């Protein structure tokens, strides 16, 4: 029997044997950890987690969040990493473990497709802000722009220059605040810039209109960057993450230091941490906690399985899962401090509650943060850094989303040509994602009356210019619709079914032995219990409560029409419906005279299930003496085959022994018809 080192390596085994030359591996383990951190730590940590805290009772949200993290998030994270690493296959190929459940893999691909489409649109908006920050004065600093309304009131006076000192910025801040003391309705310049210039929200989700070229150009840039970073698969993306996964923490730290030095920041942090326990009784809070765990850690997307599939077989993925999960959640909490310190500052100077100073969803990152950046010395520089950070956070996740789809396609086809031309597949998927994201950049030119109403002093030429560029946009409605439905309860269902399949269809004992064979030690008892009982039960109850307390999506005062909600449910169900459809298909194609026999055959592990490399197929995955090809079967079936083999060998041995005895006592008939025994010294006589 082989003995294993603490990190899972096999003593005396050449390192080169652990390389998958056909499929490829990470350059080193740091690349995998950084890529996984970049995958898990994304835009959601900046604008989704703080927003969920703000909406679900501040610090009270921490309770369900950490409960879901401990009992669902980390166990499922470890489960997916070990699942992909053991088989060295993507989210489709791993279902050789139980072919009937391959629909789960297709569901993961559908979810990753939806998320990849709208996620890159958010990245392209960050690119848009990044390019607009290349100026001496940020365009959302003051209220004297054509898109501003009479309700606009900035925190920086018009005399403030971009290169003023911190002291001058503070004094001008007080002067600007004095202008809004008596106002009953106030909007910030950054909020109006976001709503009336960048988005220009239309009155209905059905008003697509023309494509907005600047946003479309940024979308093309975003997809181009993603493709170039993945042009050589994990070999190229593994080098990029050294920067993309680490630099965001530098900018977050700078913004945090600046935020806590502002007046009122403590009030915002208190609102962030002080629990409102009555909201814990709301099932939607728990549903949001579960969704955020899956959304943030990337469970059920297929990305974790895909990234782990490029690990070496004996890598300690248990250690990696703990490191990555803690890093991700710590980043979410850290980003919350940065956000709420700014919100507390704004609420203090506007004399309003913290809950009234922030917009919903992605607008939090494009309203609260830009507002704070105008207060920093040399604000355009900090704006460039901040939106560059957002771009890097988004790209880290987008890399894995695209790689998930590409790997699934390449593994499924599996020919030498497709493996050699993987770059072509990557380019094709990137082009398709770009084209599907175009509707999210559309606009409707219905804002002329709005501009005329609030900007009477505009000249005819100036009015014409701005009426062409400041036009109502419906893309944000679709982005939020996809965000709320495409990756919400469907993730919970997929994760639950994955647990049930591995633990109860394939068998928990089989999987525990697989993990022990790979790591050198069995999974800890806590993870065994969570995988089998706790995680599936918790997410099942959360799903039930979420369905019971479902409320239709809204955006500010806009209520989504019924047909748009139907599309949202269709997107959510499109990933889940893959599971029963493929299961019925597989059962119909499986051998057997009865339905029960077909069902058993469809659930039975494929003969090729197991480690990808020949040298790792030991124990019950080792080729049997009578086999021409390597077959790996579940433990129970393998034991039965061994017993049958032993019985056959015994029967063959008995028959040979009987033949020897018969030969010894056999009489030999001569050519003349006489008989002689073998005791005759002269058989020819």
């Amino acid at each position: 029997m082989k003995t294993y080192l603490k990190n899972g390596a096999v003593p005396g085994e050449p390192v080169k044997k652990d390389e998958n030359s056909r499929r490829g591996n990470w350059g080193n383990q740091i690349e995998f950890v950084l890529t996984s951190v970049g995958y898990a730590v994304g835009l959601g940590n900046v604008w989704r987690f703080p927003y969920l805290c703000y909406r679900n009772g501040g610090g009270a949200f921490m309770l369900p969040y950490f409960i879901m993290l401990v009992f669902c998030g980390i166990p499922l994270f470890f489960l997916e990493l070990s699942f992909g690493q053991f088989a060295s296959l993507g989210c489709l190929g791993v279902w050789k473990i139980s072919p009937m459940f391959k629909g789960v893999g297709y569901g993961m691909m559908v979810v990753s497709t939806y998320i990849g489409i709208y996620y890159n649109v958010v990245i392209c908006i960050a690119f848009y802000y990044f390019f607009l920050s290349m100026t001496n004065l940020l365009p959302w600093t003051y209220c004297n722009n054509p898109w501003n309304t009479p309700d606009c009131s900035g925190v920086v006076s018009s005399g403030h220059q971009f290169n003023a000192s911190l002291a001058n910025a503070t004094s001008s801040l007080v002067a600007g605040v004095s202008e809004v003391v008596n106002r009953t309705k106030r909007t910030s310049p950054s909020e109006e810039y976001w709503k009336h210039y960048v988005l220009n929200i239309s009155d209905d989700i059905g008003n697509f209109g023309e494509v907005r070229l600047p946003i479309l150009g940024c979308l093309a840039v975003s997809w181009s960057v993603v493709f170039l970073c993945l042009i050589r698969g994990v070999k190229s993306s593994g080098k990029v993450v050294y920067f993309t996964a680490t630099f965001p923490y530098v900018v977050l730290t700078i913004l945090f230091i600046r935020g806590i030095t502002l007046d009122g920041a403590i009030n915002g942090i208190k609102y962030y941490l002080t629990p409102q326990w009555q909201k814990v009784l709301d099932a939607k809070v728990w549903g949001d906690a579960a969704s955020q765990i899956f959304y943030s850690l990337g469970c059920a997307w297929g990305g974790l399985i895909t990234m782990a599939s490029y690990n070496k077989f004996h890598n300690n993925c248990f250690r990696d899962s703990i490191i990555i999960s803690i890093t991700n959640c710590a980043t979410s909490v850290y980003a919350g401090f940065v956000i709420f310190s700014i919100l507390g500052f704004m609420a203090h100077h506007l004399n309003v509650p913290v809950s009234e100073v922030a917009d919903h969803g992605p607008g939090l990152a494009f309203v609260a943060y830009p507002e704070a950046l105008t207060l920093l010395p040399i604000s355009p520089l900090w704006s460039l850094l901040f939106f560059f950070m957002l771009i890097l956070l988004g790209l880290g996740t987008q890399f894995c989303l695209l790689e998930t789809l590409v790997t699934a396609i390449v593994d499924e086809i599996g020919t030498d040509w497709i493996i050699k031309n993987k770059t072509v597949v990557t380019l094709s998927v990137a082009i398709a994602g770009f084209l599907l994201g175009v509707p999210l950049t559309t606009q409707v030119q219905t804002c002329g009356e709005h501009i005329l109403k609030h900007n009477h002093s505009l000249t005819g030429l100036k009015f014409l210019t701005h009426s062409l560029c400041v036009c109502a946009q419906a893309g944000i409605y679709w982005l939020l619709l996809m965000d709320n439905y495409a990756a919400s309860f469907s993730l919970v269902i997929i994760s639950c079914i994955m647990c049930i399949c591995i633990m109860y269809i394939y068998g928990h004992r089989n999987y525990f032995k697989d993990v022990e064979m790979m790591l050198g030690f069995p999974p800890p008892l806590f993870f065994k219990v969570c995988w089998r009982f706790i995680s599936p039960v918790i997410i099942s109850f959360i799903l039930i409560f979420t369905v019971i307390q479902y409320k239709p999506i809204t955006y500010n005062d806009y209520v989504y029409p019924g047909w748009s909600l139907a599309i949202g449910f269709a997107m959510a169900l499109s990933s889940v419906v893959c599971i029963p459809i493929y299961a019925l298909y597989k059962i119909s194609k499986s051998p057997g005279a009865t339905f029960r026999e077909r069902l058993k055959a469809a659930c039975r592990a494929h003969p090729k299930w197991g480690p990808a490399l020949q040298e790792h197929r030991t124990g019950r995955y080792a080729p049997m003496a009578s086999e021409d090809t390597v077959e790996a079967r579940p433990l129970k079936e393998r034991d039965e085959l061994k017993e049958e083999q032993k019985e056959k060998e015994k029967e063959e041995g008995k028959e040979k022994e009987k033949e020897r005895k018969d030969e010894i006592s056999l009489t030999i008939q001569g050519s003349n018809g006489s008989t002689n025994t073998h005791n005759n010294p002269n058989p020819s006589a």
Side-chain angles (χ1 to χ4, degrees):
M1 176 181 290
K2 287 186 178 182
T3 58
Y4 297 88
L5 295 176
K6 187 175 181 180
N7 64 356
V10 181
E13 183 180 79
V15 177
K16 63 180 181 180
K17 285 189 175 182
D18 217 16
E19 292 283 352
N20 192 330
S21 57
R22 175 179 172 83
R23 196 167 180 273
N25 294 107
W26 295 105
N28 55 64
Q29 218 42 45
I30 297 178
E31 292 183 7
F32 166 70
V33 173
L34 289 178
T35 300
S36 299
V37 168
Y39 171 62
V41 178
L43 294 173
N45 297 77
V46 175
W47 64 260
R48 188 179 176 92
F49 179 80
Y51 163 61
L52 290 177
C53 285
Y54 149 73
R55 188 177 70 177
N56 294 313
F61 183 72
M62 297 290 186
L63 177 63
Y65 179 75
F66 282 109
I67 289 177
M68 296 306 303
L69 170 66
V70 172
F71 291 98
C72 282
I74 296 178
L76 290 176
F77 198 93
F78 178 35
L79 179 65
E80 291 197 31
L81 288 189
S82 59
F83 193 21
Q85 180 174 307
F86 182 78
S88 297
L89 292 170
C91 63
L92 282 183
V94 290
W95 293 102
K96 288 183 174 67
I97 192 173
S98 184
M100 191 182 79
F101 290 88
K102 192 175 182 178
V104 176
Y106 284 110
M108 291 178 174
M109 288 186 65
V110 172
V111 170
S112 293
T113 300
Y114 287 143
I115 297 174
I117 292 171
Y118 78 79
Y119 209 82
N120 230 13
V121 173
V122 178
I123 298 174
C124 90
I125 296 176
F127 267 111
Y128 187 63
Y129 269 80
F130 176 78
F131 293 136
L132 290 175
S133 299
M134 297 179 180
T135 179
N136 292 334
L137 182 66
L138 295 177
W140 57 84
T141 304
Y142 306 121
C143 292
N144 57 355
N145 301 290
W147 56 82
N148 294 125
T149 68
D151 295 324
C152 178
S153 296
V155 293
V156 179
S157 65
S158 59
H160 177 68
Q161 300 298 322
F162 81 97
N163 59 351
S165 64
L166 183 59
N168 290 335
T170 304
S171 62
S172 62
L173 169 65
V174 175
V177 170
S178 64
E179 299 175 2
V180 298
V181 170
N182 297 323
R183 289 189 183 271
T184 58
K185 183 180 180 181
R186 181 264 181 189
T187 56
S188 66
S190 62
E191 184 177 356
E192 292 202 348
Y193 184 80
W194 165 252
K195 288 183 177 180
H196 303 318
Y197 186 82
V198 178
L199 296 182
N200 290 286
I201 304 171
S202 65
D203 57 354
D204 188 73
I205 189 174
N207 294 336
F208 279 100
E210 299 176 359
V211 173
R212 192 168 188 184
L213 294 180
I215 302 295
L216 182 64
C218 292
L219 183 63
V221 170
S222 180
W223 276 108
S224 298
V225 171
V226 173
F227 166 70
L228 291 175
C229 291
L230 286 174
I231 194 169
R232 294 181 58 228
V234 296
K235 293 296 183 182
S236 57
S237 64
K239 303 299 184 291
V240 175
V241 294
Y242 281 102
F243 179 72
T244 60
T246 56
F247 182 75
Y249 291 97
V250 177
V251 180
L252 274 178
T253 301
I254 295 173
L255 293 173
F256 174 69
I257 295 174
R258 176 56 179 144
I260 60 175
T261 60
L262 297 171
D263 294 336
I266 300 300
N267 295 332
I269 294 176
K270 285 182 179 179
Y271 185 86
Y272 175 50
L273 297 177
T274 302
Q276 301 176 30
W277 294 112
Q278 69 276 11
K279 291 195 174 184
V280 176
L281 301 178
D282 188 355
K284 193 174 190 310
V285 174
W286 291 84
D288 284 341
S291 297
Q292 174 60 16
I293 287 296
F294 296 129
Y295 193 98
S296 183
L297 289 178
C299 297
W301 291 16
L304 296 177
I305 295 175
T306 301
M307 295 302 104
S309 70
Y310 292 102
N311 279 334
K312 294 181 179 179
F313 184 73
H314 294 300
N315 171 64
N316 191 343
C317 58
F318 171 70
R319 172 201 60 204
D320 295 340
S321 65
I322 300 297
I323 294 174
I324 298 166
S325 299
I326 293 178
T327 302
N328 171 75
C329 295
T331 304
S332 296
V333 176
Y334 187 37
F337 277 97
V338 178
I339 284 283
F340 278 91
S341 63
I342 298 296
L343 296 184
F345 156 71
M346 295 172 64
H348 172 75
H349 288 286
L350 297 174
N351 197 24
V352 296
V354 176
S355 59
E356 296 183 9
V357 299
D359 200 351
H360 297 294
L364 193 63
F366 299 107
V367 174
Y369 270 72
E371 183 85 1
L373 295 175
T374 61
L375 305 177
L376 296 174
I378 321 177
S379 55
L381 172 62
W382 301 112
S383 181
L384 286 170
L385 290 174
F386 169 69
F387 288 110
F388 187 52
M389 179 199 70
L390 287 187
I391 292 169
L392 296 180
L393 287 174
L395 290 177
T397 303
Q398 194 69 17
F399 291 159
C400 297
L401 290 172
L402 183 60
E403 184 62 38
T404 297
L405 299 176
V406 173
T407 298
I409 295 172
V410 172
D411 286 347
E412 185 67 10
I413 298 175
T415 62
D416 292 335
W417 185 90
I418 202 74
I419 293 175
K420 184 179 180 180
N421 295 275
K422 185 178 178 181
T423 303
V424 177
V425 180
T426 304
L427 178 61
S428 301
V429 175
I431 293 175
F434 168 74
L435 295 176
L436 292 172
V438 170
L440 301 184
T441 66
T442 57
Q443 65 180 17
V444 179
Q445 297 185 7
T446 61
C447 65
E449 294 181 0
H450 170 81
I451 298 176
L452 185 61
K453 179 179 178 181
H454 295 291
N455 298 279
H456 300 285
S457 61
L458 287 178
T459 63
L461 178 61
K462 194 173 183 181
F463 168 78
L464 177 61
T465 302
H466 287 284
S467 64
L468 290 175
C469 65
V470 186
C471 300
Q473 184 173 357
I476 187 66
Y477 292 130
W478 290 99
L479 190 150
L480 293 176
L481 185 71
M482 295 181 70
D483 180 47
N484 279 269
Y485 288 92
S488 55
F489 68 86
S490 57
L491 294 178
V492 180
I493 295 175
I494 290 174
S495 295
C496 185
I497 294 178
M498 182 178 64
C499 274
I500 293 173
C501 173
I502 297 176
M503 292 295 107
Y504 295 99
I505 305 300
Y506 178 66
H508 62 277
R509 291 188 179 89
N510 289 327
Y511 194 74
F512 296 162
K513 288 183 178 294
D514 289 344
V515 174
E516 184 175 6
M517 171 185 173
M518 178 174 61
L519 301 182
F521 57 88
L525 178 61
F526 172 77
F527 288 88
K528 291 181 179 179
V529 175
C530 286
W531 288 347
R532 294 185 62 193
F533 307 110
I534 299 179
S535 297
V537 169
I538 289 179
I539 58 182
S540 297
F541 275 112
I542 289 177
L543 177 63
I544 294 173
F545 286 131
T546 302
V547 172
I548 292 175
Q549 296 198 8
Y550 164 77
K551 295 179 182 178
I553 181 179
T554 60
Y555 181 69
N556 293 335
D557 297 330
Y558 177 75
V559 178
Y560 280 69
W563 64 267
S564 65
L565 297 179
I567 293 177
F569 277 111
M571 286 191 294
L573 293 176
S574 62
S575 58
V576 178
V577 77
C578 295
I579 302 172
I581 289 178
Y582 189 86
L584 293 175
Y585 165 77
K586 190 63 182 179
I587 292 173
S588 66
K589 294 295 183 181
S590 298
T594 64
F595 177 80
R596 185 175 181 180
E597 291 177 355
R598 289 173 178 268
L599 181 62
K600 283 186 176 181
C603 292
R604 188 179 299 121
H606 192 277
K608 292 184 179 180
W609 162 251
L613 300 183
Q614 180 73 29
E615 54 267 25
H616 297 148
R617 299 183 74 95
T618 58
R620 61 196 177 97
Y621 292 101
M624 299 182 66
S626 61
E627 291 178 326
D628 296 327
T629 59
V630 178
E631 289 187 341
R633 301 179 184 271
L635 183 61
K636 185 177 179 180
E637 184 180 354
R638 173 60 66 125
D639 292 338
E640 292 174 356
L641 290 174
K642 286 183 178 180
E643 292 295 329
E644 292 177 2
Q645 186 72 17
K646 289 180 180 179
E647 291 177 1
K648 285 183 179 180
E649 291 176 356
K650 288 181 180 179
E651 291 177 359
E652 291 176 358
K654 290 180 181 179
E655 291 177 359
K656 289 181 180 180
E657 185 66 24
K658 184 178 179 181
E659 289 176 358
R660 286 197 198 94
K661 290 181 180 179
D662 291 343
E663 186 178 354
I664 293 174
S665 60
L666 187 66
T667 58
I668 302 176
Q669 175 137 10
S671 58
N672 58 358
S674 61
T675 59
N676 296 292
T677 65
H678 67 284
N679 294 325
N680 191 339
N682 189 5
S684 61

